[in-house]
Amino acid sequence: MSRSDVDLAGRPRWRGQPARLEVHYLTATDETTGTGLWLHHEVVAPTSGDAYAHGWIATFPPDATPSYERFGPSPAQRQQDDSWFGAGDVVMTADRAAGTAGDVEWNLGWQNDGEPLWTFPRWVWRRQALPAAQVVPTPTTTVSGSVGGRPFRGTGAVAHIYGHGNAQRWVWLHADLGGGDVLELVAATARRPGLRLLPPLPLLQLRVDGRDWPADPLAAAPLLRCRIRSDGFRVAGIVGTRRLAVNVDLPAERCVAVGYVDPDGATATCTNTERADVTVATSELTLGGWRNDRRWQLAGTGHAEVGTRP
């Protein structure tokens, strides 16, 4: 693992500029109870006014209604140590997250021993070449500790977003496929007036047996199509000699709806579940035609969301 790559992917990028949004988030599924976890840390630097840090923790038990608690807002400060996020007693580093929101306290740790997953190309992230981008410093790991006074241990991931704000509409998926295989997917439509009517552009990375595909997610994005429903989405297409189909279901009773505010004051609604049902299938083009290659089916362990305006 390259330490410099992890630092590039995870270290805070905000340097005090206005009109910026930075997010570090952790998602996980408890292996014993099946409870999903979403821990969201956010720094908002408005177009005018003081920057603030806030976030929330959401839990998704299989036998109860999901819920979330917010923390902050508090004044945002540039991180001077190894922290990726800090606000009051809430802290996140490359391998630890702890804090309190409402009546919920958490203390979690994990190992960061894999290569980052570049949902957007590395050069896009490094140069900040797009209005916003996402990367996954820790694509798959075991998260352990406690949440709400109860033990927690399960498979999770840590991701990082930086840019000027949220998209006009978007979908996101993190699917741990087992054995180190993982799929990360973001599809979004830009907020710029001339682009708002375009379909979402999907960027994804599928890691199988230690190899990431497609080689250039930005070049592959126009070859993929995303169809969004109120209760899920589908992404499918052909890149080179591989065909991919991803179906994601977000049952309403497993979701929370969280309001977002952009640096310019615009609002959005994120409908999120850490208990999505997901099917991923790949095929390879051979001389005899398309041959089914791999298929994964996740029942209540996918992490996904749909973002809309307002």
Side-chain angles (χ1 to χ4, degrees):
M1 176 185 64
S2 169
R3 185 72 250 175
S4 61
D5 272 359
V6 174
D7 287 342
L8 173 63
R11 294 286 298 176
R13 313 211 76 185
W14 182 62
R15 297 294 181 265
Q17 316 96 310
R20 296 294 190 277
L21 176 70
E22 183 158 35
V23 178
H24 288 90
Y25 63 92
L26 177 150
T27 61
T29 302
D30 185 82
E31 62 189 21
T32 300
T33 66
T35 296
L37 175 69
W38 176 27
L39 182 54
H40 181 104
H41 312 79
E42 183 172 288
V43 172
V44 182
T47 52
S48 61
D50 296 331
Y52 60 93
H54 74 138
W56 52 85
I57 183 170
T59 54
F60 302 80
D63 56 354
T65 302
S67 62
Y68 69 97
E69 293 282 353
R70 290 183 178 270
F71 57 85
S74 60
Q77 297 180 350
R78 292 177 55 184
Q79 301 303 307
Q80 302 298 327
D81 53 16
D82 291 336
S83 297
W84 289 3
F85 177 90
D89 70 342
V90 177
V91 62
M92 186 179 197
T93 70
D95 56 10
R96 177 176 175 265
T100 306
D103 296 329
V104 182
E105 183 176 356
W106 64 93
N107 192 341
L108 299 165
W110 58 90
Q111 289 188 341
N112 195 335
D113 54 3
E115 293 291 339
L117 202 60
W118 301 96
T119 324
F120 289 67
R122 187 182 326 216
W123 67 267
V124 169
W125 181 261
R126 184 186 297 274
R127 300 178 187 176
Q128 301 181 30
L130 294 175
Q134 185 250 25
V135 64
V136 191
T138 307
T140 182
T141 189
T142 298
V143 179
S144 60
S146 62
V147 176
R150 298 181 178 181
F152 187 99
R153 180 180 174 84
T155 302
V158 176
H160 186 188
I161 300 170
Y162 184 71
H164 293 269
N166 296 293
Q168 177 66 16
R169 57 178 176 150
W170 71 90
V171 301
W172 161 78
L173 169 68
H174 176 82
D176 193 295
L177 306 174
D181 298 344
V182 62
L183 171 65
E184 190 78 15
L185 185 158
V186 175
T189 297
R191 282 189 64 202
R192 295 175 182 174
L195 302 176
R196 292 182 181 181
L197 298 179
L198 295 177
L201 188 67
L203 289 97
L204 63 86
Q205 284 285 271
L206 175 64
R207 178 171 292 174
V208 176
D209 298 330
R211 301 182 63 181
D212 296 347
W213 175 90
D216 186 333
L218 190 59
L223 305 175
L224 302 167
R225 296 291 180 268
C226 177
R227 295 183 179 180
I228 303 176
R229 312 183 311 272
S230 60
D231 62 349
F233 54 92
R234 172 182 170 84
V235 172
I238 299 172
V239 181
T241 60
R242 175 173 284 180
R243 182 168 61 187
L244 173 75
V246 181
N247 288 286
V248 183
D249 293 321
L250 286 74
E253 68 276 9
R254 302 183 197 169
C255 296
V256 295
V258 182
Y260 283 14
V261 179
D262 287 306
D264 64 0
T267 59
T269 300
C270 172
T271 300
N272 176 288
T273 182
E274 304 306 303
R275 297 193 60 249
D277 297 328
V278 181
T279 301
V280 180
T282 61
S283 304
E284 292 287 345
L285 184 60
T286 68
L287 293 177
W290 288 102
R291 175 180 60 83
N292 292 335
D293 181 29
R294 303 286 291 271
R295 180 181 175 87
W296 299 268
Q297 191 158 359
L298 309 182
T301 61
H303 306 162
E305 69 185 27
V306 175
T308 58
R309 301 282 174 170

